Amino acid sequence: MRVVLLLSCPDQPGLVHAVAEFVLTVGGNIVHAEQHVDPETSVFFQRVEFDATSDALPRDEVGERFADVASRFRMRVDLRFVDDRPRIAVLASREVHCLADLLARWRAGEISAEIVTVISNHPDHAALAEFSGVPFHYLPVTPDTKAEQELQIRNLLHASEVELVVLARYMRILGPTLLSAYPARIINIHHSFLPAFTGARPYHQAQRRGVKLIGATAHYVTADLDEGPIIAQDVTPVSHRDSVPDLIRKGRDLETVVLARAVSAHVEHRTLVFGNKTIVFG
Amino acid sequence: MRVVLLLSCPDQPGLVHAVAEFVLTVGGNIVHAEQHVDPETSVFFQRVEFDATSDALPRDEVGERFADVASRFRMRVDLRFVDDRPRIAVLASREVHCLADLLARWRAGEISAEIVTVISNHPDHAALAEFSGVPFHYLPVTPDTKAEQELQIRNLLHASEVELVVLARYMRILGPTLLSAYPARIINIHHSFLPAFTGARPYHQAQRRGVKLIGATAHYVTADLDEGPIIAQDVTPVSHRDSVPDLIRKGRDLETVVLARAVSAHVEHRTLVFGNKTIVFG
Amino acid sequence: MRVVLLLSCPDQPGLVHAVAEFVLTVGGNIVHAEQHVDPETSVFFQRVEFDATSDALPRDEVGERFADVASRFRMRVDLRFVDDRPRIAVLASREVHCLADLLARWRAGEISAEIVTVISNHPDHAALAEFSGVPFHYLPVTPDTKAEQELQIRNLLHASEVELVVLARYMRILGPTLLSAYPARIINIHHSFLPAFTGARPYHQAQRRGVKLIGATAHYVTADLDEGPIIAQDVTPVSHRDSVPDLIRKGRDLETVVLARAVSAHVEHRTLVFGNKTIVFG
Amino acid sequence: MRVVLLLSCPDQPGLVHAVAEFVLTVGGNIVHAEQHVDPETSVFFQRVEFDATSDALPRDEVGERFADVASRFRMRVDLRFVDDRPRIAVLASREVHCLADLLARWRAGEISAEIVTVISNHPDHAALAEFSGVPFHYLPVTPDTKAEQELQIRNLLHASEVELVVLARYMRILGPTLLSAYPARIINIHHSFLPAFTGARPYHQAQRRGVKLIGATAHYVTADLDEGPIIAQDVTPVSHRDSVPDLIRKGRDLETVVLARAVSAHVEHRTLVFGNKTIVFG
């Protein structure tokens, strides 16, 4: 049994020792540990991954056994098991590349999670979802039916016991119904190196500005559009020769890779949201 | 004798042929040629580099001989000779890395130009300039003396017959006196991937936003601060571990390389400004 | 009608002019032109892309009309039409990521070609090929049946009028039957930055050597294993933390992108093989 | 007082706990900690950085106080203090860029070390060293005087109490005199992405092979030329247009950055050599 503890608390001496002592006491062995102290707020963050046998430490007692350390240091604790596979819903609109890439990686065993549903406001991706063995839900939307459609989505997510929502080029702005249900558990891919080119048609904006590189940004979704905590970013060089369609084509490779990197970080329990930032452990 | 023609005109058939015919007629041989048509405006751009002997084509007659082609196609023509070495002034404030890098490259023969003067509003870099064999001018400035100091700079640039002004982390905003005297001939390095983080203290802004990469942008200076035509950009990855001083340190390597790349593109006659964009030939 | 001429010949004055004159004479307009002179051998290479109407220049007369220029300058000429879509066969073994990526790009309209057949020595990818609408051929092979299987492949390629063979992690060494039939028309992806780590299990070699970056190389296949002309390469950083399975996983993204880049360069008629090198026009 | 412990020992439960307990016992506070277990050999590596007051833990007693933990777990221990600044000698031949870059960074306060001597087999860099305030030693060498010159170098290094030797494009192969005196304490920059293009003139080799990227590698020097443990590597894209002089010019920026990165990792006590590999902590 491999356990991951994602911890945060006010920094003070003895934290690393207390966590290590807990692991030793329950007969475990630390296989990875990474920590960080935010210099401005003196908040301590740690990700500890340790092996333990279920005999010495029954799975459903880990949290309880750690409670003493947690309360002593006023820790916020996220407890995960490496063999837990988060249940993912992927939302997509017309563009297929991010959806197709996530499904291909998942079929190939690259993503430590279960993709349990694909939802789209277009019917086009039904065959791809079916080929991948994932239920597909076509939920069209108009400005008039937006609130209702979002409710349908939320019900679907609840029914499928979804833990992570991935917006794979889903081109609708989410409302409070979904945002409040999945705090720091909705990942979006924006096709620019944020904070440059927020909002609509970033490749058109990039072409107009004459930048020499374009980018993609994966971030947790918050109520402030394109302002959520950034998980991953990357860029690729472009030149005056690149028309908007060229930028769109080059950008696709960025979007798929950056989104996949962010989803992997999340499902491998390597992310911790702190204010408007994301700590991504290695 | 190696000649560079930087051309722009409305696109039409026969342009490449007319230029190639001119080169053939004067006994020349094209060694590089690159072209681009802006799809929105149908403007044709070309950079042609050719060898010719001064016997067949006296140096001071090239422009005249080409005038016929130029007027037939309503071309804007920039005529350069590869052995012309543009005269450069470098302006710097306290930070020394960009200035030191440009001087080191120049001493090593990497920059096809002459650095003829170093101007600073701080006295610190006098020894470095002297070691490099370049006259140093210390021109301090206060809010009250800004206009006067800028006039001094302009006079110095005129006296040194400067053709290109490089702002190597010069932290003062230039006024109309200099901007109007050197249109598309002042290169600045901004320490962010523009258009993200314009204005002051971009590394602080980057740290606050929690981006996963930082950048640097070299651009021609215009009256709109940080909005001029971009010549070169690059980025480097950062993480939650990086404090503002870490970003500043990592950013330095970006700034020096990006600025040097832009200066090289300019002095090798590979840049053409078009509206708010820069065409950079390879 | 958009025409591409890929030319090579001994360098001499007048080449650019002669080609431009030809285009003008047939009523065409050059939309892209790029050239290169190999400094050691003084061989001139050019890629010229021009628009012409079939009225002024019937499609099947282009070659004939250009023959005069070609023979005058002893040019090797490759004549292509942009709307010609080369017919591609993809060969794969067990690993699916490169095959899946190529098929996804092709379904999305990103590759200017037709994928007409998928051939594998394993049966696993039948469903994926079928989903993509491409005939799948399972041709198992043992050391005893190698020559026979290769003959089967060649017959399939001929029957499908294949012009380009893509080895998408096909783990068998090709014999002379195929190599001689498709000179400079078989593209392989090798999972290292060649010439480092030729041969088997390059990620294991990389891990043993302790390199700080891993790479992928797409190249034309020749009789010398891993020694053919390189079309595209890229790398990604790794560290001491990365086990061989980590390298394999990180390498997959490199392999798919680098192979796709090479295939695009080929089918967009941007590659010219010269000795053991590939000129890749922009 | 900030202390760095670089530890390695056979892996077993309780290691992290024991080190954390030690730090707590001496009244310290861990500010960074990173660990790694080599999966093949089950060797545990750790870098722990902690703050302590000299009152609670006198500087010259740290090692002694830790000896108990070290011996209990059979640890190899490297004990460093962050305010210790290793004394560096830089060796260079004709090419100046790496030497100039290191000196500029050092003058700017970017390198946590003291550059105490510059040694060269050419007289050219005397003025640069003098400008930087570093003693310069011109030690010419011929095949006949090689052993003797190396002895002179070693004596100079000893006299200057040098702890790290940096070969900044020093083009002579070191003999056993120096190698045995500075195990894992000589850093070389090789101008290729090793293991590709070992030996002489790697840019010529790269041009001949037609690679699409060139690289640079910083490594600890061992008796096997170009085979020592790699500390840092990077690459930059090139194309068919790049002649050997172009590669040399582009490579310079790689070499300076990669060498500086490796030197920083060493002097910040972030490297641990293990067999033929280097663990570089973040």
Side-chain angles (χ1 to χ4, degrees):
Chain A
M1 177 180 71
R2 186 161 283 188
V3 186
V4 174
L5 290 170
L6 285 166
L7 311 171
S8 58
C9 63
D11 191 28
Q12 68 173 88
L15 286 165
V16 175
H17 176 257
V19 175
E21 189 157 75
F22 165 78
V23 173
L24 195 63
T25 307
V26 299
N29 190 25
I30 294 174
V31 287
H32 290 296
E34 217 175 326
Q35 60 181 80
H36 174 64
V37 176
D38 182 70
E40 280 166 47
T41 58
S42 288
V43 175
F44 172 90
F45 302 90
Q46 194 180 29
R47 183 188 187 277
V48 181
E49 192 171 330
F50 66 94
D51 284 330
T53 62
S54 330
D55 291 351
L57 182 67
R59 200 171 173 113
D60 53 5
E61 288 182 18
V62 183
E64 199 181 318
R65 299 274 287 272
F66 190 69
D68 180 50
V69 175
S71 81
R72 184 156 31 116
F73 293 99
R74 290 181 294 140
M75 286 175 177
R76 206 186 83 185
V77 181
D78 262 345
L79 170 66
R80 317 274 174 88
F81 298 91
V82 165
D83 58 4
D84 275 352
R85 292 168 65 85
R87 296 169 67 81
I88 296 180
V90 184
L91 273 65
S93 293
R94 267 223 177 85
E95 294 263 18
V96 74
H97 55 282
C98 283
L99 173 63
D101 179 75
L102 284 174
L103 289 171
R105 285 174 196 272
W106 178 65
R107 292 194 311 263
E110 267 185 60
I111 297 178
S112 307
E114 292 302 328
I115 298 182
V116 295
T117 187
V118 172
I119 299 171
S120 181
N121 55 331
H122 291 280
D124 314 14
H125 311 316
L128 174 65
E130 189 193 9
F131 169 69
S132 304
V134 180
F136 177 80
H137 300 277
Y138 167 43
L139 297 181
V141 60
T142 64
D144 287 353
T145 64
K146 190 166 187 305
E148 191 189 335
Q149 186 240 24
E150 195 152 305
L151 208 61
Q152 287 177 300
I153 294 177
R154 201 199 58 187
N155 292 342
L156 261 172
L157 300 180
H158 283 184
S160 308
E161 295 178 63
V162 161
E163 291 162 66
L164 176 68
V165 180
V166 179
L167 306 185
R169 297 299 309 273
Y170 183 71
M171 305 309 281
R172 296 277 152 178
I173 294 168
L174 299 191
T177 303
L178 278 167
L179 291 180
S180 62
Y182 292 92
R185 290 198 286 139
I186 307 176
I187 295 176
N188 182 48
I189 181 75
H190 183 78
H191 37 315
S192 82
F193 49 93
L194 287 175
F197 309 130
T198 54
R201 296 161 61 96
Y203 292 130
H204 291 76
Q205 296 181 53
Q207 213 270 342
R208 209 148 45 230
R209 181 61 186 92
V211 289
K212 298 303 184 190
L213 43 83
I214 56 168
T217 304
H219 62 95
Y220 287 112
V221 178
T222 61
D224 293 325
L225 192 65
D226 300 333
E227 298 289 338
I230 293 171
I231 310 167
Q233 295 189 289
D234 212 345
V235 297
T236 201
V238 297
S239 81
H240 61 270
R241 297 172 181 228
D242 290 302
S243 61
V244 170
D246 292 333
L247 299 187
I248 289 171
R249 189 175 43 75
K250 291 188 174 181
R252 275 194 203 119
D253 282 359
L254 278 178
E255 295 163 30
T256 54
V257 167
V258 169
L259 181 57
R261 212 184 290 160
V263 169
S264 286
H266 183 99
V267 302
E268 292 164 7
H269 318 302
R270 295 189 284 107
T271 62
L272 251 174
V273 170
F274 170 56
N276 198 43
K277 295 186 196 174
T278 307
I279 291 165
V280 182
F281 290 111
Chain B
M1 176 179 71
R2 186 161 284 187
V3 185
V4 175
L5 290 170
L6 284 166
L7 310 171
S8 58
C9 63
D11 192 27
Q12 70 173 85
L15 288 164
V16 175
H17 176 257
V19 175
E21 190 157 76
F22 165 77
V23 174
L24 196 61
T25 307
V26 300
N29 189 27
I30 294 175
V31 286
H32 290 295
E34 218 175 325
Q35 59 181 84
H36 174 64
V37 176
D38 181 69
E40 280 166 46
T41 57
S42 288
V43 174
F44 172 90
F45 302 90
Q46 194 178 29
R47 182 188 187 279
V48 180
E49 192 170 330
F50 66 94
D51 283 331
T53 61
S54 331
D55 290 351
L57 182 68
R59 200 173 175 111
D60 52 4
E61 288 182 20
V62 183
E64 198 181 318
R65 299 273 288 271
F66 191 68
D68 180 50
V69 175
S71 80
R72 183 154 34 115
F73 293 99
R74 289 181 293 142
M75 287 175 175
R76 205 185 85 185
V77 181
D78 262 345
L79 169 67
R80 317 275 174 89
F81 298 91
V82 166
D83 58 5
D84 276 352
R85 293 169 65 86
R87 296 169 67 82
I88 296 180
V90 184
L91 273 65
S93 292
R94 268 225 177 80
E95 294 263 18
V96 74
H97 54 284
C98 284
L99 172 64
D101 180 75
L102 285 173
L103 289 171
R105 286 174 196 271
W106 177 66
R107 291 193 311 262
E110 270 184 58
I111 296 179
S112 308
E114 292 303 328
I115 298 184
V116 295
T117 186
V118 172
I119 301 170
S120 179
N121 55 331
H122 291 280
D124 313 15
H125 312 316
L128 175 64
E130 188 194 11
F131 168 69
S132 303
V134 179
F136 176 80
H137 300 276
Y138 168 42
L139 297 181
V141 61
T142 65
D144 287 352
T145 63
K146 191 165 186 308
E148 190 189 337
Q149 186 240 23
E150 196 151 305
L151 209 61
Q152 289 177 299
I153 295 176
R154 202 198 57 187
N155 292 343
L156 262 172
L157 300 180
H158 284 185
S160 309
E161 295 178 64
V162 162
E163 291 162 65
L164 176 68
V165 180
V166 179
L167 307 185
R169 299 297 309 273
Y170 184 70
M171 305 309 279
R172 296 277 152 176
I173 295 168
L174 299 192
T177 303
L178 278 167
L179 292 179
S180 61
Y182 292 91
R185 291 199 284 139
I186 307 176
I187 295 176
N188 183 47
I189 181 75
H190 184 77
H191 37 314
S192 81
F193 49 93
L194 289 176
F197 309 130
T198 54
R201 294 159 63 97
Y203 292 130
H204 291 76
Q205 296 181 52
Q207 212 272 342
R208 211 148 43 228
R209 180 62 186 90
V211 291
K212 299 302 185 190
L213 44 83
I214 56 167
T217 304
H219 62 94
Y220 287 112
V221 178
T222 61
D224 293 326
L225 193 65
D226 299 334
E227 299 289 338
I230 293 171
I231 310 168
Q233 293 189 290
D234 210 345
V235 298
T236 201
V238 297
S239 81
H240 60 270
R241 296 173 181 229
D242 290 302
S243 62
V244 169
D246 292 333
L247 300 186
I248 289 171
R249 191 175 42 74
K250 290 187 176 184
R252 273 192 204 120
D253 282 358
L254 279 177
E255 295 162 31
T256 53
V257 168
V258 169
L259 180 57
R261 213 184 290 160
V263 169
S264 287
H266 183 99
V267 301
E268 292 164 8
H269 318 302
R270 295 189 284 106
T271 62
L272 250 173
V273 171
F274 171 56
N276 199 41
K277 295 185 195 175
T278 308
I279 292 166
V280 182
F281 290 109
Chain C
M1 176 180 72
R2 187 162 285 188
V3 186
V4 175
L5 291 171
L6 284 166
L7 310 171
S8 58
C9 63
D11 190 28
Q12 69 172 89
L15 286 164
V16 174
H17 175 258
V19 174
E21 190 157 75
F22 165 77
V23 173
L24 194 64
T25 307
V26 300
N29 189 25
I30 294 174
V31 287
H32 290 295
E34 217 175 324
Q35 60 181 81
H36 174 64
V37 176
D38 182 69
E40 280 166 47
T41 58
S42 288
V43 174
F44 172 89
F45 302 90
Q46 194 179 28
R47 183 188 187 278
V48 180
E49 193 171 329
F50 65 94
D51 283 329
T53 62
S54 331
D55 290 352
L57 182 68
R59 200 172 173 111
D60 53 4
E61 289 182 17
V62 183
E64 199 181 316
R65 299 273 286 272
F66 191 68
D68 181 50
V69 175
S71 80
R72 183 154 33 115
F73 292 99
R74 289 181 292 140
M75 286 176 176
R76 206 185 85 186
V77 180
D78 262 344
L79 170 66
R80 317 274 173 90
F81 297 92
V82 166
D83 58 4
D84 275 353
R85 291 169 65 85
R87 296 169 66 81
I88 296 180
V90 184
L91 273 65
S93 292
R94 269 225 175 82
E95 294 263 18
V96 74
H97 54 283
C98 283
L99 172 63
D101 179 75
L102 285 173
L103 289 170
R105 286 174 196 271
W106 178 65
R107 292 194 310 264
E110 268 185 60
I111 297 179
S112 308
E114 293 302 329
I115 298 183
V116 295
T117 186
V118 172
I119 300 171
S120 180
N121 56 330
H122 291 280
D124 313 14
H125 312 317
L128 174 64
E130 189 194 9
F131 168 70
S132 303
V134 179
F136 176 80
H137 300 277
Y138 168 43
L139 298 181
V141 61
T142 65
D144 286 352
T145 64
K146 190 164 186 307
E148 190 189 335
Q149 186 240 23
E150 196 152 306
L151 209 60
Q152 289 177 299
I153 294 176
R154 202 200 56 188
N155 292 343
L156 262 172
L157 300 180
H158 283 185
S160 308
E161 295 178 65
V162 162
E163 291 162 65
L164 176 68
V165 180
V166 178
L167 306 185
R169 297 297 310 271
Y170 183 70
M171 305 308 281
R172 296 277 151 178
I173 294 168
L174 300 191
T177 303
L178 279 167
L179 291 180
S180 61
Y182 293 92
R185 289 199 286 139
I186 307 177
I187 295 176
N188 182 49
I189 181 75
H190 184 78
H191 36 314
S192 83
F193 49 92
L194 288 175
F197 309 130
T198 55
R201 295 159 63 96
Y203 292 129
H204 291 76
Q205 295 181 54
Q207 213 270 341
R208 211 149 43 229
R209 181 63 185 90
V211 289
K212 299 302 184 191
L213 44 82
I214 56 168
T217 305
H219 62 95
Y220 287 112
V221 178
T222 61
D224 292 325
L225 193 65
D226 300 333
E227 298 289 339
I230 293 171
I231 310 168
Q233 295 189 289
D234 212 346
V235 297
T236 201
V238 298
S239 81
H240 61 270
R241 296 173 182 229
D242 290 301
S243 61
V244 169
D246 292 332
L247 299 187
I248 289 171
R249 188 175 44 74
K250 291 188 175 182
R252 275 194 202 117
D253 282 359
L254 278 178
E255 295 163 29
T256 54
V257 167
V258 169
L259 181 57
R261 213 183 290 161
V263 168
S264 287
H266 183 100
V267 302
E268 293 164 7
H269 318 302
R270 296 189 284 107
T271 62
L272 251 174
V273 170
F274 170 58
N276 199 42
K277 295 186 196 176
T278 307
I279 292 166
V280 182
F281 291 110
Chain D
M1 177 182 70
R2 186 161 283 187
V3 186
V4 175
L5 290 170
L6 284 166
L7 310 171
S8 58
C9 63
D11 192 27
Q12 70 173 86
L15 286 165
V16 175
H17 176 258
V19 175
E21 190 158 76
F22 165 77
V23 174
L24 195 63
T25 307
V26 299
N29 189 26
I30 294 174
V31 287
H32 290 295
E34 216 175 326
Q35 60 181 81
H36 174 64
V37 176
D38 182 70
E40 280 167 46
T41 56
S42 288
V43 174
F44 171 90
F45 301 90
Q46 194 178 29
R47 182 188 187 279
V48 181
E49 193 171 329
F50 66 94
D51 283 330
T53 60
S54 329
D55 291 351
L57 181 69
R59 200 171 173 113
D60 53 4
E61 289 182 20
V62 182
E64 198 181 319
R65 299 274 286 272
F66 191 68
D68 180 51
V69 175
S71 81
R72 185 157 30 115
F73 294 98
R74 289 180 294 141
M75 286 175 177
R76 206 186 83 185
V77 180
D78 261 345
L79 169 66
R80 316 275 173 89
F81 297 91
V82 165
D83 58 5
D84 275 353
R85 293 170 64 86
R87 295 169 67 82
I88 297 179
V90 184
L91 274 65
S93 293
R94 267 221 179 86
E95 294 263 18
V96 75
H97 53 285
C98 284
L99 172 64
D101 179 75
L102 285 173
L103 288 171
R105 286 174 196 271
W106 177 65
R107 291 193 312 262
E110 269 185 58
I111 296 178
S112 307
E114 293 301 329
I115 299 183
V116 295
T117 186
V118 171
I119 299 171
S120 179
N121 55 331
H122 291 279
D124 313 15
H125 312 315
L128 175 64
E130 188 194 9
F131 168 69
S132 303
V134 179
F136 177 80
H137 300 276
Y138 167 43
L139 297 181
V141 61
T142 65
D144 287 353
T145 64
K146 191 167 186 308
E148 190 189 336
Q149 186 240 24
E150 196 151 307
L151 208 62
Q152 289 177 297
I153 295 177
R154 203 199 58 188
N155 292 343
L156 261 173
L157 300 180
H158 283 185
S160 310
E161 296 177 65
V162 162
E163 290 162 67
L164 175 68
V165 180
V166 178
L167 307 185
R169 299 297 310 273
Y170 184 69
M171 305 309 280
R172 297 277 152 177
I173 295 169
L174 300 191
T177 303
L178 278 167
L179 291 179
S180 61
Y182 293 93
R185 290 198 285 139
I186 307 177
I187 295 177
N188 182 47
I189 181 76
H190 184 78
H191 36 314
S192 82
F193 49 93
L194 288 176
F197 309 131
T198 54
R201 294 160 61 98
Y203 293 129
H204 291 76
Q205 296 181 52
Q207 213 270 342
R208 210 149 44 230
R209 181 61 187 91
V211 290
K212 299 302 184 190
L213 42 83
I214 56 167
T217 304
H219 62 94
Y220 287 112
V221 178
T222 61
D224 293 324
L225 192 64
D226 300 333
E227 298 289 338
I230 293 171
I231 310 168
Q233 293 189 290
D234 212 343
V235 297
T236 201
V238 296
S239 81
H240 61 269
R241 297 173 181 228
D242 290 303
S243 61
V244 169
D246 292 332
L247 299 186
I248 290 171
R249 190 176 42 77
K250 291 188 174 183
R252 273 192 205 120
D253 282 359
L254 279 177
E255 294 162 31
T256 55
V257 168
V258 169
L259 180 58
R261 213 184 290 160
V263 169
S264 287
H266 183 99
V267 301
E268 293 164 7
H269 318 302
R270 296 189 285 107
T271 62
L272 250 172
V273 171
F274 170 56
N276 200 42
K277 295 186 197 176
T278 307
I279 292 166
V280 182
F281 290 109

